[in-house]
Amino acid sequence: MHAEHDPAAPAAPVIGFDDWLRVDVRVGTIVEAHAFPEARKPAYKLLIDFGPVIGRRKSSAQITELYRLDELPGTQVAAVVNFPPRQIGKFLSEVLTLGFPDAEGRVVLVRPSAAVPDGGRLF
């Protein structure tokens, strides 16, 4: 488990509120999920709809242990939408889909507890 995923790791250094405001976390709905067999670590390719302003963005997500491809479409997730795109093999991941590690280190998606409009910003 990486230190940043370790629940026993100390909290990150204090940041200012303006730093937090620079991170744009939005909610979107997964519209497509595909296998990503060429990824170094097991992952899926996701297409997520963030509503009319941001639109649809691609993400590589290491969520294969707890989620099946067929159950992901229609699921709302949280993602950072203002990081630069990241090349993962031949796939360009445009957003960082967010999750927490469970007790075994498997990724559990961050999802709203009730349906909300796509594109809504976390505050």
Side-chain angles (χ1 to χ4, degrees):
M1 182 178 293
H2 293 287
E4 65 269 14
H5 300 144
D6 183 355
V14 172
I15 62 171
F17 190 70
D18 288 342
D19 294 321
W20 163 248
L21 292 176
R22 293 175 51 203
V23 180
D24 194 352
V25 178
R26 303 283 180 128
V27 66
T29 299
I30 298 172
V31 293
E32 293 180 17
H34 301 281
F36 191 5
E38 58 273 23
R40 226 175 342 122
K41 294 182 180 178
Y44 293 145
K45 297 177 189 178
L46 305 177
L47 182 62
I48 306 169
D49 187 353
F50 292 97
V53 175
I54 295 173
R56 292 179 171 194
R57 301 282 174 91
K58 298 180 292 183
S59 181
S60 171
Q62 296 174 4
I63 58 173
T64 60
E65 292 182 278
L66 294 179
Y67 302 94
R68 294 187 330 264
L69 285 172
D70 64 341
E71 71 181 339
L72 290 169
T75 300
Q76 286 194 301
V77 295
V80 177
V81 299
N82 67 330
F83 283 155
R86 185 170 177 200
Q87 194 72 44
I88 302 172
K90 294 181 179 182
F91 184 74
L92 186 66
S93 188
E94 300 171 306
V95 300
L96 175 64
T97 303
L98 300 174
F100 289 107
D102 70 5
E104 285 81 44
R106 301 171 299 190
V107 178
V108 177
L109 290 168
V110 173
R111 304 189 283 190
S113 60
V116 295
D118 288 334
R121 186 169 181 174
L122 180 70
F123 59 86

